[in-house]
Amino acid sequence: MAKLKILEFPHPRLRIRAKPVETINEALYQKIEDMFETMYDAPGIGLAATQVDFHYRLLVADVSAENNEPWVLINPVIIEKEGLEVTEEGCLSVPGYFEEVERAEHVKVSYLDRAGEQVQTGFDGLLSVCVQHEMDHLDGKLFVDYLSEAKRQRIRKRLKKNRRHRSHETAAIL
């Protein structure tokens, strides 16, 4: 397994719309394992393939406190939405920022599981929010897109400043 580099906002590749997965094979299984390792290490509860510069419709999630309830959704499509809720969201591609976002309270999703079987599952609560958030990534959308332009600009500037600061710290160590 290998930890992957997570693209950070406003990286342009985060805006690429992911293509459907055509073949489930060993290379895809390895990518799934690498995504889980990256997500758990970050630490996070969900990761879309787009965030690690792999532009296929694939996401992994695990909202359990013990990291023992992994979900793999390949080519996910929301087929039903119910209710609305506002929750505070963060994102591994927008590190350190949390904002309230309105999402469906319940979603029913059709997808291929890790074995390539077509499945339909209903998701509620935090897992519902996580799945919707990661599916947005597959369409080139980030949670900051739900915010005002002024908030997006402030976040973009602070992240740029933080990256510049981190690169100066790294250079000082070398």
Side-chain angles (χ1 to χ4, degrees):
M1 293 198 312
K3 283 189 282 181
L4 305 169
K5 180 177 175 14
I6 297 172
L7 300 176
E8 289 186 8
F9 175 73
H11 200 293
R13 286 196 202 110
L14 287 168
R15 300 303 185 172
I16 295 173
R17 184 172 171 81
K19 297 179 244 176
V21 172
E22 299 289 337
T23 306
I24 296 176
N25 56 24
E26 285 305 313
L28 185 68
Y29 291 137
Q30 184 60 56
K31 184 63 77 176
I32 290 167
E33 293 308 312
D34 292 346
M35 286 175 64
F36 272 117
E37 180 178 353
T38 303
M39 179 188 76
Y40 289 137
D41 182 67
I45 60 169
L47 186 66
T50 301
Q51 291 176 272
V52 292
D53 211 12
F54 183 69
H55 302 283
Y56 289 90
R57 299 192 72 76
L58 166 67
L59 69 89
V60 299
D62 187 343
V63 300
S64 69
E66 301 81 22
N67 292 338
N68 63 355
E69 297 176 22
W71 287 87
V72 175
L73 283 70
I74 302 167
N75 298 335
V77 176
I78 295 175
I79 56 175
E80 185 179 297
K81 291 182 179 186
E82 290 179 14
L84 286 177
E85 66 179 330
V86 176
T87 57
E88 188 175 68
E89 292 186 24
C91 180
L92 297 177
S93 291
V94 189
Y97 292 91
F98 299 87
E99 293 287 341
E100 290 189 341
V101 176
E102 185 177 273
R103 300 233 185 235
E105 201 171 0
H106 168 85
V107 292
K108 188 173 188 179
V109 180
S110 177
Y111 60 95
L112 299 176
D113 65 12
R114 192 186 294 239
E117 299 296 320
Q118 189 70 44
V119 180
Q120 287 186 4
T121 304
F123 297 104
D124 295 299
L126 183 57
L127 190 52
S128 172
V129 170
C130 181
V131 166
Q132 291 172 80
H133 176 108
E134 302 311 332
M135 286 181 68
D136 273 355
H137 278 297
L138 300 179
D139 292 326
K141 188 171 184 177
L142 284 81
F143 91 100
V144 295
D145 296 339
Y146 292 94
L147 308 177
S148 70
E149 180 60 30
K151 277 189 180 181
R152 265 195 311 280
Q153 289 298 335
R154 278 195 302 272
I155 291 170
R156 184 180 287 118
K157 285 178 185 177
R158 283 190 216 144
L159 286 173
K160 186 176 180 181
K161 182 179 176 182
N162 291 346
R163 277 192 290 276
R164 209 172 33 243
H165 182 72
R166 283 192 313 247
S167 70
H168 289 312
E169 284 179 349
T170 303
I173 293 170
L174 299 175

